[in-house]
Amino acid sequence: MSMSYADGFDVDAPLIELDEIRKTFITGGGVAVEALRGVSMSIRAGEFVAIMGASGSGKSTLMNILGCLDRPTSGAYRFAGREVSALDADQLAWLRREAFGFVFQSYNLLASATAEENVEIPAVYAGLDVDTRKERAIELLTLLGVGERVHHRPSQLSGGQQQRVSIARALMNGGQVILADEPTGALDSKSGAEVIQLLENLAAQGHTVILITHDAKVAAHAHRVIEIRDGEIVADSGARADAPVHRVTLSDSANDSPSLFSGLNESLGMATRALKANFFRTILTLLGIVIGVGSVVAMLAIGEGAKQRVVDQIGSMGTNLIVVRPLRGRDATVNATLMPEDAEAIAQLPNVMSSMPDVTGEQTVRYGNVDYRPEDIIATTTDLPFTRSWPVAQGAFFTEQDMEDYAPVAVLGDIVYETLFPGGEDPVGQYILIANVPFQVIGVMSPKGAMSAAQDADDVVFVPLTTGMMRIFGQRHLGSITVAVSDISVMDDTQNAILDLLKARHDGAESFRIRNMADLLETATTAQNTLTTLLAAVAAISLLVGGIGIMNIMLVSVTERTREIGIRMATGARQRDILQQFLSEALMVSAIGGVVGVIGGVAVGVTVEAFGTPILFTATPMILAFACAAATGLVFGYAPARKAARLDPVVALANE
Ligand code: ADP
Ligand code: MG
């Protein structure tokens, strides 16, 4: 760093020089209050000075200006020869860390931190490593007589003990200048006397001690008494002639900010403590993020699962298939009928691999004393195993000869086989009744799987088209024709050729509906994608709501912890330390929420899957949702964190 913070200070100049310092407060009602009216004084390093005056005389105002917590309205303040008004916020924070230690009437300890942690705070901002500062904090506490209480929180300590802790904190970074504002004001006389004794000892060791009090007996312990009344100095006993000469040391090392990692580590530690201190509230805030992230993960898995299943189903039926059906009812210009001859004609078209007619209906099937009603009895041709890529598992499919002979033979779907032959006996050769007509079972299909929640491909019995038409359905027209094409890229041409052919064969009537599986696949995928997007949008909104929750809770937290922020600033925290701390808290909540949310989302997905809904987990939504949560924390945490960082230390400290 080319510019050093210690530049421009002269340790041989008087430590503190005030020249005509004035401070005017404008009250809420717009009334100007002159708290200091031209204070001039000079204090040398190593002096033990009491500033004495009645309540309201301006003592605290003066102390805040001396400690660089507040700026005067006018007048000059030189610290070690350097005009303080020329320093920026970071330099003032450095000077507070480097030179000052504050002791307040109300102790100003952080309630959520232990004695030791309270003492460590100034060293955190000075960038001291963890072990050294722990050691030093315990050493100081022991020295001040509270070594037994290092792990106690302020609420578990007496007033005298708390004030000792705060003196230890003032000494943590050296405490060359101790500013004590009514340090005995809240203590019983015995504890008060002990605290004064401690300050006397510090003065004897060379610390500059500025003791502020309204009590003449307390002031009498100092080596010099400056009396203040109505914002003006009315008496000054002057520096002791025999006072030894001291110098402050202002080192640049304390200007080194902690490394980003240790700084981050530090603020994460503090964040953990702060979040634990408000455990229930933290949980509620977390919940918002957890629900947001969890629903993104679960919703997308459900959406993807549904899409995958539709794609699989359609794919399993074959993407090279075209299904032709006659139009019925309102949609049809004429109630046309598809005939077996139509299928034969279609088979002659170019690019047509097979043209498979069928008639489908529902009938009861009986074997022995078991009655069963499969979803479909399908009368079709020998092409089926080929057209639908569906091999036979046992026995054989029927042949052209069976078709010609009107043979009463049947091939069972896997479900029908398992229902009629629960014992697993060989069905081939057995006789079953379909619509009370005896059929001989000649084969069983391999399992094909579910086509949709309501339909199962295996819940089916196949019979020859000829036999089925005559003996089961008693009709001459077809239900549909399934056409397999060899080249999918010219599927549309083939489709048009089929339509033209049928139109020609049926007196020009537009009475057939053609669907091809590839189109169906595309439509279904688009529909499912829309669904997935919709689900994701709903989930994203809940993530947004979670983010607003973080912002809300952070704003409350900043307001609640204004005093804590003031204490941190008084002990040398820079604005960016405060910013980093609050951002860390927001980030931590959102990151924990993100992790728990991902786990929760997966758990919901797995549970839903256990109930039969297909689920497809992919990494992208998980990573995305987690990243969104973390980003949400940063984005929504930034405004509150900045608000905290920009607080005026003296205003923050005055906050009750
Ligand atoms: P002391 O510490 O000696 O009791 P203070 O320095 O606190 O006195 O206050 C000196 C005068 O300034 C008092 O009249 C007080 O009401 C006024 N004062 C102090 N701080 C503020 C403020 N922030 N706004 C308005 N008036 C203030
Ligand atoms: Mg006061």
Side-chain angles (χ1 to χ4, degrees):
M1 205 176 279
S2 58
M3 260 288 287
S4 135
Y5 279 1
D7 281 355
F9 289 94
D10 172 11
V11 293
D12 291 319
L15 181 69
I16 286 169
E17 269 187 301
L18 298 187
D19 194 6
E20 280 297 306
I21 292 288
R22 292 179 175 276
K23 179 71 183 182
T24 308
F25 292 108
I26 309 295
T27 62
V31 183
V33 178
E34 283 208 287
L36 295 177
R37 322 160 176 245
V39 170
S40 301
M41 64 170 158
S42 173
I43 297 174
R44 298 206 69 92
E47 280 195 83
F48 182 7
V49 185
I51 294 174
M52 195 183 79
S55 174
S57 56
K59 303 184 298 294
S60 296
T61 307
L62 182 57
M63 188 194 90
N64 288 337
I65 289 172
L66 287 176
C68 301
L69 292 170
D70 206 359
R71 293 176 187 270
T73 311
S74 71
Y77 172 16
R78 283 180 298 279
F79 184 89
R82 173 125 198 228
E83 178 53 51
V84 168
S85 62
L87 304 180
D88 66 21
D90 277 359
Q91 282 174 304
L92 288 176
W94 164 77
L95 193 58
R96 286 197 292 268
R97 282 199 301 277
E98 191 65 2
F100 294 105
F102 294 90
V103 179
F104 301 94
Q105 176 174 354
S106 51
Y107 328 125
N108 277 339
L109 299 175
L110 297 189
S112 62
T114 63
E116 183 209 307
E117 288 164 350
N118 266 292
V119 174
E120 277 183 53
I121 294 172
V124 171
Y125 297 122
L128 206 62
D129 68 90
V130 187
D131 294 338
T132 316
R133 71 174 194 246
K134 259 200 167 50
E135 202 175 301
R136 180 164 166 73
I138 292 173
E139 195 182 292
L140 282 170
L141 286 167
T142 311
L143 218 63
L144 291 169
V146 278
E148 310 284 289
R149 296 277 188 279
V150 291
H151 299 304
H152 288 57
R153 288 179 202 285
S155 59
Q156 300 165 313
L157 299 171
S158 73
Q161 287 167 335
Q162 290 187 62
Q163 198 59 295
R164 285 160 192 266
V165 173
S166 90
I167 293 173
R169 180 180 62 191
L171 293 172
M172 189 64 192
N173 283 348
Q176 301 188 73
V177 185
I178 302 285
L179 290 168
D181 189 357
E182 306 269 14
T184 60
L187 300 177
D188 59 85
S189 56
K190 183 169 170 288
S191 309
E194 286 167 3
V195 164
I196 294 299
Q197 183 62 52
L198 286 172
L199 292 177
E200 282 191 273
N201 295 348
L202 291 176
Q205 288 161 26
H207 292 266
T208 307
V209 177
I210 300 175
L211 168 64
I212 284 163
T213 181
H214 64 274
D215 188 341
K217 283 205 286 297
V218 171
H221 290 271
H223 301 159
R224 173 183 174 188
V225 179
I226 297 173
E227 214 175 314
I228 182 170
R229 190 181 300 154
D230 293 332
E232 285 176 302
I233 293 181
V234 292
D236 183 348
S237 70
R240 263 207 327 219
D242 61 344
V245 178
H246 284 280
R247 282 190 181 82
V248 282
T249 52
L250 295 171
S251 88
D252 274 325
S253 66
N255 155 34
D256 291 341
S257 50
S259 76
L260 188 66
F261 174 74
S262 78
L264 202 68
N265 200 17
E266 216 53 75
S267 28
L268 285 180
M270 285 193 282
T272 316
R273 232 171 295 140
L275 296 176
K276 269 192 199 154
N278 255 313
F279 190 70
F280 188 58
R281 197 163 75 189
T282 305
I283 293 291
L284 287 182
T285 314
L286 265 177
L287 207 58
I289 294 290
V290 169
I291 292 173
V293 172
S295 49
V296 167
V297 170
M299 291 298 186
L300 284 176
I302 291 170
E304 283 299 308
K307 180 169 122 189
Q308 192 56 47
R309 182 152 92 172
V310 169
V311 169
D312 285 349
Q313 282 161 7
I314 295 173
S316 76
M317 287 186 263
T319 44
N320 66 332
L321 299 185
I322 296 172
V323 179
V324 186
R325 285 178 206 284
L327 276 177
R328 297 261 165 231
R330 269 183 299 162
D331 295 338
T333 48
V334 197
N335 273 353
T337 47
L338 265 183
M339 304 305 283
E341 294 73 24
D342 291 325
E344 279 160 31
I346 290 170
Q348 306 308 315
L349 288 172
N351 194 33
V352 170
M353 219 158 42
S354 73
S355 168
M356 182 184 79
D358 68 60
V359 183
T360 301
E362 271 195 70
Q363 293 293 340
T364 303
V365 177
R366 161 174 283 220
Y367 173 68
N369 54 5
V370 183
D371 267 356
Y372 181 62
R373 203 173 170 84
E375 238 159 62
D376 289 317
I377 307 291
I378 300 179
T380 185
T381 63
T382 54
D383 285 338
L384 184 118
F386 166 74
T387 305
R388 293 192 52 188
S389 322
W390 193 353
V392 171
Q394 299 180 45
F397 209 74
F398 43 79
T399 60
E400 289 296 341
Q401 192 62 51
D402 294 325
M403 294 277 284
E404 271 174 38
D405 294 349
Y406 289 70
V409 291
V411 180
L412 307 182
D414 191 58
I415 288 184
V416 178
Y417 159 58
E418 286 186 6
T419 309
L420 296 184
F421 300 89
E425 58 265 45
D426 187 3
V428 177
Q430 302 299 324
Y431 283 89
I432 59 173
L433 294 177
I434 303 176
N436 288 322
V437 179
F439 279 77
Q440 187 176 28
V441 177
I442 58 165
V444 177
M445 303 302 286
S446 58
K448 185 91 172 163
M451 300 202 335
S452 72
Q455 208 185 345
D456 200 304
D458 296 319
D459 196 7
V460 72
V461 177
F462 295 107
V463 297
L465 184 66
T466 47
T467 327
M469 279 180 149
M470 188 173 75
R471 309 199 58 179
I472 302 177
F473 301 114
Q475 65 181 52
R476 267 284 294 155
H477 53 263
L478 302 174
S480 67
I481 299 171
T482 304
V483 182
V485 301
S486 19
D487 184 356
I488 300 181
S489 63
V490 291
M491 203 163 199
D492 286 347
D493 296 340
T494 311
Q495 210 163 298
N496 291 334
I498 293 172
L499 268 182
D500 289 344
L501 175 79
L502 289 175
K503 214 159 149 186
R505 290 178 59 85
H506 293 267
D507 303 328
E510 296 253 15
S511 317
F512 301 96
R513 188 163 61 122
I514 287 201
R515 280 206 302 177
N516 82 50
M517 293 299 175
D519 284 352
L520 196 63
L521 189 67
E522 211 174 289
T523 316
T525 312
T526 311
Q528 290 297 332
N529 278 343
T530 312
L531 180 71
T532 307
T533 310
L534 200 73
L535 289 176
V538 171
I541 288 170
S542 62
L543 193 58
L544 184 73
V545 172
I548 293 172
I550 287 198
M551 178 133 138
N552 186 20
I553 225 67
M554 290 291 295
L555 282 171
V556 172
S557 173
V558 168
T559 308
E560 263 183 12
R561 289 158 63 196
T562 300
R563 200 180 173 82
E564 173 191 330
I565 296 161
I567 295 168
R568 290 185 181 281
M569 286 177 161
T571 55
R574 281 151 293 211
Q575 292 191 336
R576 69 181 142 95
D577 293 322
I578 303 292
L579 185 77
Q580 189 176 339
Q581 183 189 343
F582 279 85
L583 273 183
S584 303
E585 287 179 25
L587 189 63
M588 197 153 185
V589 171
S590 55
I592 294 175
V595 170
V596 177
V598 168
I599 295 170
V602 170
V604 167
V606 169
T607 311
V608 167
E609 194 168 32
F611 284 100
T613 306
I615 291 291
L616 184 69
F617 286 114
T618 43
T620 318
M622 293 190 203
I623 294 165
L624 221 62
F626 178 80
C628 277
T632 304
L634 282 183
V635 169
F636 286 91
Y638 184 74
R642 206 178 66 141
K643 185 185 163 196
R646 292 205 166 172
L647 282 173
D648 188 348
V650 74
V651 172
L653 265 178
N655 190 275
E656 292 298 334

